Amino acid sequence: MSDNRGVVYIGPGKVEVQSIPFPKLENPQGRRIGHGVLLKVITTNICGSDQHMVRGRTSALAGLVLGHEITGEVIETGSDVENFKVGDLASVPFNVACGRCRTCKEQDTGVCLTVNPSRAGGAYGYVDMGGWVGGQADYVMVPYADFNLLKLPHRDLAMEKIRDLTCLSDILPTGYHGAVTAGVGPGSTVYIAGAGPVGLAAAASSRLLGAAVVIVGDVNPTRLTHAKSQGFEVVDLSQDASLGDQIAELLGIPEVDCAVDAVGFEARGHGHEGVREEAPAIVLNSLMEITRAAGKLGIPGLYVTEDPGSADTAAQKGNLSLRFGLGWAKSHSFHTGQTPVMKYNRQLMQAIMWDRIKIADVVGVEVISLNDAPLGYGEFDAGVPKKFVIDPHNSLKLA
């Protein structure tokens, strides 16, 4: 059987490309399964939530094979797989889901009840998500393939658009979910906290949903410049002017209809002094301040149950100093949690195939080799306005 390499978490601040076992049609407990497939990985992306682990901000242990954003070609099918054959191209939702439990049947695939013995919800290559091996590798196994996989039609056209389609596994549905749960619609004014890839995906999704104006806020000037180049309004949170004041300069009033948190728990303070200090609740608190009464907050940004790297004792246990009373007084609605990718990925695939959205350009996709993955992690952590896409087999250049 072919060799297999993967991106392995070594310890805080360090990943390496190592030889890893070739995948088998087995679950993490070693039991043979017939519902899985083996994929040759075509593209696999570095995600901001991977960075939380690599920074040592979770309870992830050394040796974890990373990667939950996967697009691949089927090279072997289990005996129970009916809808996929060898040679098919497929996008893999980052949620591992059985398709059989109550939450899966209700399309809440981010909290499948059966794929993780310790809690609801499973994912590839992620801490506390069921032990499923990550896909930043040459090959990977996907369980419950008939349910989990989204077949990409028209192989030649799919390969032409693979830089966009690779975003279907997580980042685009996650941004879209943030916008949808924030109530974005035609004519909406929208504020997106965070100009990283998820924030830009939420901004692009808001535009797709018909928003009148989309404002993106960040403390990173390079990312803000990129966001501005994609046609979004921006606010620089490293400035001492308040978020509300900067929004008022754009809209005439210091509030928006809808807001999306695409930052999560590693947020930093606002203002030229504050950006050096972590403030894990600042995004949520600021969104409550600038979202209109009876507005909605979509929160795809990651918040963890344990943050061992935090300097704040309460935050180490996931406890934040949240101004919940403000949100209650303004009758805000909050929507949190992992994105149920399958709720959106087929429609978003069609939007890509018919040129309704150019997500690769918006998020700054840059294709790299598997060997260059550690460099990609380093650059991404430094805040470059890029979405690094790993091409383990040089498939994009061969297409």
Side-chain angles (χ1 to χ4, degrees), residues 188-213:
S188 296
T189 58
V190 187
Y191 174 70
I192 311 290
V198 171
L200 292 173
S205 297
S206 297
R207 193 157 57 192
L208 185 65
L209 289 164
V213 58

Side-chain angles (χ1 to χ4, degrees), residues 64-86:
L64 179 69
V65 180
L66 299 168
H68 56 271
E69 301 189 15
I70 308 162
T71 306
E73 177 184 354
V74 177
I75 61 170
E76 182 179 340
T77 62
S79 58
D80 297 336
V81 175
E82 297 180 354
N83 297 321
F84 288 86
K85 64 183 185 302
V86 172

Side-chain angles (χ1 to χ4, degrees), residues 178-184 188-190 255-260 287-299 326-335:
V180 167
T181 55
V184 177
S188 296
T189 58
V190 187
E255 67 176 23
V256 292
D257 297 324
C258 317
V260 178
L287 295 192
M288 287 187 281
E289 291 176 2
I290 56 92
T291 301
R292 69 172 178 85
K296 298 179 180 180
L297 280 64
I299 311 172
L326 175 60
W328 190 94
K330 295 178 76 173
S331 293
H332 283 160
S333 298
F334 302 79
H335 196 105

Side-chain angles (χ1 to χ4, degrees), residues 159-234:
M159 288 303 297
E160 288 179 14
K161 295 180 176 289
I162 197 69
R163 294 171 68 256
D164 297 282
L165 294 171
T166 190
C167 298
L168 288 173
S169 57
D170 180 353
I171 182 175
L172 179 53
T174 294
Y176 191 82
H177 181 62
V180 167
T181 55
V184 177
S188 296
T189 58
V190 187
Y191 174 70
I192 311 290
V198 171
L200 292 173
S205 297
S206 297
R207 193 157 57 192
L208 185 65
L209 289 164
V213 58
V214 181
I215 306 167
V216 180
D218 206 296
V219 299
N220 183 322
T222 306
R223 285 184 167 181
L224 289 174
T225 297
H226 177 72
K228 186 72 173 177
S229 75
Q230 296 301 309
F232 306 114
E233 301 295 334
V234 299

